[in-house]
Amino acid sequence: MKSTKRTTINRQMNRRLFLAGSSALLAAPAILRSSRAYAQTPTLKVGHVSPRTGPLAGFAEADDYVLEAISQRFSAGIENNGRTWAIEVISKDSQSNPNRAAEVASQLILEDEVDIIVAASTPDTVNPVSDQAEINDVPCITTDCPWQPYFFGRGGNPAEGFRNTFHFFWGLEDVIAAFLDMWGGTGVAPVVGGLFPNDADGNAWGDPVNGLPTPLAEAGYNLIDPGRYQPMSDDFSNYINAFKEAGCEIVTGNMIAPDFGTFWSQAAQQGFAPKIVTIGKALLFPSVIEGLGERGNGLSSEVWWSPNHPFASSLTGASAADLAHGFTAATGRPWTQPIGFKHALFEVVADVVARSQDLEDPDATLEAIRTTAIDSIVGPINWAQGPVPNVTKTPLVAGQWQREGEGIELKIVANSSAPEIPTTGELMLLD
């Protein structure tokens, strides 16, 4: 029996069990739907999951802009083996909740019967979506999450990998290298305060083996880690006291924006004034920095993507600058880093649809994903390059928010790991 028939039977059985074992679920409306006007035109369904609401909503700020542009690009269909396929994209909100992410992924797979599912924005989204795809034998492509919490957080075995799920992004080794590159030569005391939440990201960043502790120690830094805090904490006094006692001049970690806002406000109240503050996740977004007022100036983070990245879309030909400035022109809002990676997800989808030997056979689709080798708007995407099965890496640099006229801009200040991405400023110590 062909794989496509076996998979169809499995999905039908799973769907019956799903509907029998749960109450009726309200399906979120599709953001985009391609026309089905021509009965002779086959349709390939793509499910899309992201946190459009909740504390991670900043990651999905550009969803409407990206999906509208992709809809226009896909409106004429994609040719595969001499036949044009319509592409239908069905987007659902994870509400920044891992359980909800799993629920809507199940809906997309078992009710909407998508052929490919894509997801982005932290382990809270990509891991539960990927797990549902793996269980249900649906090809899945994800991004916007360091590869370690994606791979090891799902129980991945480097000797085997996964069957159905593929991921592209940078790793903790890359963010550590970028941070060390940025901090080196500043003359500040090599004592670093660590802020790691008790969630998938925080546990990965603080992991003694695969996270920050060992590489920082090897580079001569003393990491002060008071332990995991609960997300949405309202009191960081114990952490601030520990950092003050140890003489921390650098603070790093991985936080959501509300938690960092609470910590940074309490640090000021309690007289803790580090010279460098480099935080992943929370400090990615212009809206967060502007919300901090003058205390946002000089904060730093990793930089996944920017208008200065020298890459272009394999799907539209648009440069990184074109995509970023197009978002600002369309919305009146500053560009954000996830824009490029949201677009790149659909670059991969388009490339896979065009190359698959048989779009009605999931195994052929998986083989097309596995053999992807494109130059995307976020850099090369090629799963043959590792570092582990089902994962490929994209370049990473480091940046600092600096006042520019009446506004504030993210300047790239360290690029040793990716010299093809130009620097646009120099690191300044906090007052």
Side-chain angles (χ1 to χ4, degrees):
M1 182 180 293
K2 289 186 177 180
S3 172
T4 180
K5 293 181 179 178
R6 182 178 66 251
T7 302
T8 299
I9 292 170
N10 287 341
R11 285 196 204 171
Q12 290 172 344
M13 291 177 64
N14 287 339
R15 184 172 185 273
R16 285 195 294 270
L17 291 170
F18 172 78
L19 293 175
S22 62
S23 58
L25 298 171
L26 295 176
I31 299 299
L32 302 170
R33 290 188 182 277
S34 300
S35 173
R36 294 176 181 263
Y38 299 99
Q40 298 305 312
T41 301
T43 297
L44 183 133
K45 293 184 180 181
V46 180
H48 172 259
V49 181
S50 71
R52 298 174 71 88
T53 58
L56 299 177
F59 285 88
E61 182 182 0
D63 275 14
D64 287 343
Y65 171 72
V66 171
L67 290 172
E68 181 178 355
I70 292 299
S71 176
Q72 293 174 2
R73 179 64 182 82
F74 285 174
S75 62
I78 297 177
E79 184 173 330
N80 172 277
N81 293 322
R83 194 179 186 190
T84 299
W85 283 71
I87 309 298
E88 178 182 1
V89 181
I90 307 171
S91 183
K92 296 192 177 185
D93 178 14
S94 72
Q95 301 174 3
S96 300
N97 184 302
N99 294 329
R100 177 65 179 173
E103 182 180 35
V104 297
S106 292
Q107 291 175 359
L108 287 166
I109 294 168
L110 301 172
E111 296 184 340
D112 297 299
E113 298 184 342
V114 297
D115 301 284
I116 299 173
I117 191 166
V118 301
S121 309
T122 82
D124 287 341
T125 310
V126 304
N127 285 13
V129 172
S130 297
D131 286 343
Q132 290 298 316
E134 193 72 19
I135 291 169
N136 289 288
D137 275 336
V138 176
C140 176
I141 305 160
T142 55
T143 190
D144 286 13
C145 165
W147 72 261
Q148 285 92 342
Y150 162 84
F151 191 83
F152 295 116
R154 299 177 52 226
N157 181 346
E160 298 176 2
F162 300 103
R163 169 175 160 75
N164 300 287
T165 52
F166 296 80
H167 187 74
F168 64 96
F169 207 53
W170 43 266
L172 295 180
E173 71 279 18
D174 303 304
V175 77
I176 293 166
F179 287 1
L180 291 174
D181 183 25
M182 180 166 56
W183 302 341
T186 59
V188 301
V191 185
V192 183
L195 290 165
F196 307 115
N198 187 22
D199 62 16
D201 254 343
N203 290 327
W205 283 57
D207 184 84
V209 177
N210 296 309
L212 273 66
T214 297
L216 290 188
E218 291 174 347
Y221 289 82
N222 180 21
L223 177 66
I224 308 302
D225 180 2
R228 305 295 163 265
Y229 69 86
Q230 291 305 312
M232 300 304 290
S233 176
D234 60 2
D235 186 3
F236 286 90
S237 298
N238 290 340
Y239 295 84
I240 293 168
N241 289 334
F243 297 163
K244 289 171 68 175
E245 280 185 21
C248 294
E249 293 194 348
I250 303 172
V251 172
T252 195
N254 182 280
M255 312 175 79
I256 58 175
D259 287 340
F260 177 78
T262 301
F263 163 79
W264 199 219
S265 175
Q266 292 175 359
Q269 294 167 3
Q270 298 174 34
F272 176 52
K275 295 181 179 179
I276 299 174
V277 175
T278 306
I279 300 290
K281 189 186 293 187
L283 303 184
L284 297 173
F285 306 109
S287 58
V288 173
I289 300 300
E290 293 196 354
L292 295 171
E294 281 305 312
R295 284 182 58 75
N297 187 37
L299 300 175
S300 51
S301 73
E302 76 277 16
V303 181
W304 331 336
W305 182 83
S306 77
N308 295 292
H309 279 50
F311 307 127
S313 169
S314 62
L315 182 59
T316 66
S319 67
D322 291 337
L323 187 63
H325 299 327
F327 172 77
T328 298
T331 65
R333 300 194 299 272
W335 62 271
T336 67
Q337 295 190 44
I339 296 174
F341 282 83
K342 293 297 181 71
H343 179 91
L345 275 175
F346 293 98
E347 287 186 68
V348 177
V349 168
D351 178 69
V352 166
V353 170
R355 290 187 300 105
S356 176
Q357 293 299 307
D358 183 356
L359 286 173
E360 294 180 299
D361 182 355
D363 284 345
T365 299
L366 290 173
E367 181 61 20
I369 297 173
R370 192 175 294 109
T371 55
T372 295
I374 62 172
D375 291 325
S376 79
I377 205 159
V378 299
I381 299 176
N382 184 339
W383 276 283
Q385 296 179 349
V388 294
N390 306 79
V391 170
T392 187
K393 296 204 300 181
T394 52
L396 187 70
V397 292
Q400 183 180 43
W401 292 97
Q402 299 178 2
R403 285 291 171 195
E404 187 78 19
E406 296 182 358
I408 191 164
E409 292 186 7
L410 182 60
K411 303 287 189 178
I412 297 173
V413 298
N415 69 342
S416 293
S417 298
E420 70 274 19
I421 301 169
T423 58
T424 58
E426 295 182 358
L427 182 73
M428 302 184 305
L429 299 182
L430 297 172
D431 297 331

